[in-house]
Amino acid sequence: MSSPHVLVVDDTLVDRHVVSMALMRHNVRVTAVESVVQALIFLDSEHDVNMIVSDYCMPDMTGYDLLMEVKKPPKLAHLPVVIASSDNIPERIRKCLDGGAKDYILKPVKIVDVPRILNYI
């Protein structure tokens, strides 16, 4: 079986790197982009992504916006989306989970969070 492919979306270089490295340590192929727009363009052309891990707070469009866009087309609606944020805001967490996110993880994402994330693939 081939390695799972996770799309990491975060506007902060350090956070993209931390999440990517943690996933790669678990034999996960990672594509990392810095915006929701880049993620949607990538998803439109790439069909082997198994999961999305997205930051919530990004300029222009949030991780919740990405979640809503992914849930629209049938070809993407099956993809599990995990939201990561440094903000522990119960209303935001509930909104993301109610919107279809599989999980909401508090940053910084740690190596011990990876099995929890990968559980949704």
Side-chain angles (χ1 to χ4, degrees):
M1 182 172 150
S2 65
S3 299
H5 184 187
V6 176
L7 177 61
V8 174
V9 186
D10 200 309
D11 62 311
T12 306
L13 177 61
V14 171
D15 288 337
R16 267 195 324 270
H17 184 73
V18 167
V19 173
S20 297
M21 295 307 295
L23 289 168
M24 287 189 284
R25 286 184 181 175
H26 281 79
N27 196 32
V28 173
R29 287 187 306 128
V30 174
T31 298
V33 297
E34 65 183 48
S35 73
V36 171
V37 171
Q38 287 178 351
L40 293 171
I41 291 168
F42 181 79
L43 289 167
D44 189 49
S45 65
E46 189 65 39
H47 304 290
D48 75 338
V49 173
N50 303 106
M51 168 181 272
I52 301 167
V53 177
S54 178
D55 181 25
Y56 183 89
C57 293
M58 293 181 281
D60 301 322
M61 295 177 79
T62 67
Y64 180 79
D65 296 328
L66 174 60
L67 173 66
M68 293 297 95
E69 290 299 316
V70 166
K71 295 304 175 188
K72 284 180 188 176
K75 77 174 192 166
L76 298 178
H78 70 282
L79 282 177
V81 178
V82 172
I83 302 292
S85 178
S86 55
D87 299 324
N88 187 2
I89 302 171
E91 299 81 23
R92 180 182 293 168
I93 296 168
R94 176 60 37 218
K95 178 180 170 182
C96 290
L97 295 175
D98 287 349
K102 293 295 185 184
D103 209 339
Y104 186 103
I105 294 179
L106 291 176
K107 288 181 174 183
V109 174
K110 299 170 281 310
I111 196 76
V112 296
D113 293 323
V114 173
R116 175 177 160 189
I117 293 169
L118 295 179
N119 188 51
Y120 300 108
I121 294 181

